[in-house]
Amino acid sequence: MAKPVSVEVWNPNGKYRVISTKPMPGTRWINLLIEQDCRVEICTEKKTILSVEDIIALIGNKCDGVIGQLTEDWGDTLFAALSRAGGKAFSNMAVGYNNVDVNAANKYGVAVGNTPGVLTETTAELAASLSLAASRRIVEADEFMRAGLYDGWLPHLFVGNLLKGQTVGVIGAGRIGSAYARMMVEGFKMNLIYYDLYQATRLEKFVTAYGEFLKSNGEQPVYWKRASSMDEVLREADVEAILVNCSRGPVVDEVALVEHLKQNPMFRVGLDVFEDEPFMKPGLAEMKNAVVVPHIASASKWTREGMATLAALNVLGKIKGYPIWGDPNQVAPFLNENAPPPAACPSIVNAKALGLPVSKL
């Protein structure tokens, strides 16, 4: 028998039982579930990552839906347990769902939700922050000051890189990549080279228009270029001495990265995600030319509360039999606290496989 897991219960007499495997920011998501007659149980175990056995214990014999986290292994075992308990809804509180076996969910008829459309600017801001922190050696300088080593100004003390007038390289010019590019181009008057399988027309028009604005004011215009390969971006970007990753950890070979950092002290990196998260490869933590943060790209109050709301509404919508929202990236109506959310699931990644109807709202 699975060991009991501690929970906090809201609306104990609710008709529908919804589990959240972690406390989530804000209370709106809880209130939205309670208003629709849900009993909400929030796991309060003092464990960063719940095991499969922990989550099975949470699901129990009756569970209508689960809000989970990207650190959890949602495969055949958990979807089978949820199905046995009568559940047909699961949502990650994340835009990614690498931790979810969608085929297993399809097998048991469980809808899988995610939370796109609310992370774009927040993630882009962190990428820009890492770019600045790495280029201007802010973390190194902060540690230097806290260690009491500063005894006066020196010409060569923590000399970093100027961003203005340089070229920023972006690999993947989707919503987040384009938002980051706009911040770097407009904020620091950088040129842009990007690689994407699809042409980023809106981004190109933005850079062109901004370049014309600068020229009309007697300043050096900025320009853009679409590269034909990732290698071309790496060759031509002037900021090639700085690598920033806020996408997925495995896109960077950390062992090779550590060696490159050792061999090239002027090369710098800013990482929000890691190859074998939550672990870093040996040597990375000791690299002074690396800025590392614990997967906090989406960690603004507005974004995290929005993610919690969207995840809850994914689960609630499936429980109530609502259709699927037509555009999962246009989620503002769900986040408006001054009006009831639409009667729809914001984003169900396997809606087509399950034959779920699309909302006409």
Side-chain angles (χ1 to χ4, degrees):
M1 181 178 293
K3 180 183 176 182
V5 178
S6 60
V7 296
E8 175 186 10
V9 179
W10 295 69
N11 193 30
N13 296 320
K15 178 179 178 181
Y16 308 105
R17 182 170 179 258
V18 175
I19 301 296
S20 176
T21 63
K22 282 281 185 292
M24 299 190 296
T27 57
R28 184 171 182 248
W29 69 274
I30 299 173
N31 293 329
L32 288 170
L33 290 170
I34 290 174
E35 288 167 6
Q36 295 297 322
D37 204 15
C38 292
R39 171 190 170 105
V40 181
E41 296 186 21
I42 304 170
C43 179
T44 56
E45 285 287 306
K46 302 299 182 184
K47 297 174 69 173
T48 301
I49 301 175
L50 296 181
S51 67
V52 169
E53 291 73 22
D54 291 330
I55 299 173
I56 289 174
L58 281 171
I59 290 171
N61 297 321
K62 181 190 180 299
C63 180
D64 295 285
V66 177
I67 303 168
Q69 303 297 323
L70 52 77
T71 53
E72 301 157 4
D73 183 13
W74 278 85
D76 194 277
T77 302
L78 286 182
F79 285 120
L82 181 56
S83 180
R84 285 194 301 270
K88 294 297 180 185
F90 165 79
S91 184
N92 252 6
M93 184 196 148
V95 64
Y97 47 95
N98 295 355
N99 62 310
V100 179
D101 184 341
V102 178
N103 290 330
N106 294 340
K107 173 182 172 182
Y108 293 102
V110 177
V112 174
N114 69 334
T115 62
V118 72
L119 299 92
T120 301
E121 299 298 328
T122 297
T123 303
E125 284 181 4
L126 186 82
S129 300
L130 289 173
S131 300
L132 286 171
S135 65
R136 297 304 301 269
R137 305 176 67 180
I138 291 173
V139 174
E140 292 176 78
D142 179 86
E143 292 176 350
F144 182 83
M145 290 295 295
R146 293 177 191 277
L149 299 175
Y150 182 59
D151 55 8
W153 184 88
L154 290 170
H156 294 291
L157 188 62
F158 293 109
V159 172
N161 295 340
L162 177 70
L163 297 180
K164 181 180 182 294
Q166 304 300 305
T167 299
V168 61
V170 175
I171 297 174
R175 293 182 304 279
I176 295 171
S178 290
Y180 167 73
R182 291 195 303 270
M183 290 177 187
M184 303 307 287
V185 169
E186 187 175 21
F188 304 101
K189 299 175 183 175
M190 299 185 75
N191 300 307
L192 168 69
I193 181 169
Y194 80 93
Y195 171 74
D196 199 289
L197 296 176
Y198 303 97
Q199 185 172 7
T201 305
R202 292 178 64 184
L203 176 59
E204 293 173 358
K205 289 181 177 178
F206 173 87
V207 179
T208 298
Y210 186 57
E212 291 172 353
F213 168 79
L214 291 175
K215 188 175 181 180
S216 69
N217 284 276
E219 296 186 64
Q220 182 71 25
V222 293
Y223 67 83
W224 61 267
K225 178 181 179 181
R226 182 185 179 193
S228 59
S229 67
M230 288 185 283
D231 286 344
E232 186 179 355
V233 173
L234 297 175
R235 284 196 307 269
E236 296 193 19
D238 289 320
V239 195
E240 75 283 325
I242 304 170
L243 170 68
V244 173
N245 185 17
C246 288
S247 58
R248 298 288 181 268
V251 305
V252 172
D253 181 336
E254 271 181 42
V255 172
L257 175 62
V258 170
E259 187 59 32
H260 192 72
L261 289 166
K262 289 178 180 176
Q263 298 298 323
N264 299 274
M266 290 304 293
F267 178 82
R268 300 187 188 95
V269 65
L271 300 176
D272 178 55
V273 288
F274 304 91
E275 195 171 1
D276 295 317
E277 210 165 302
F279 308 106
M280 293 188 289
K281 286 293 194 290
L284 182 57
E286 288 73 45
M287 294 294 101
K288 296 294 186 182
N289 45 346
V291 179
V292 291
V293 295
H295 205 146
I296 58 170
S298 65
S300 69
K301 182 177 183 292
W302 182 85
T303 293
R304 288 283 172 89
E305 289 184 1
M307 293 166 69
T309 295
L310 294 173
L313 291 174
N314 281 330
V315 170
L316 177 63
K318 185 61 173 66
I319 290 173
K320 303 290 283 188
Y322 294 159
I324 312 305
W325 190 244
D327 187 348
N329 294 307
Q330 301 298 326
V331 294
F334 295 97
L335 304 177
N336 181 1
E337 297 187 13
N338 298 314
C345 299
S347 178
I348 301 295
V349 301
N350 59 341
K352 186 174 181 181
L354 297 181
L356 302 179
V358 176
S359 171
K360 292 182 170 57
L361 295 175

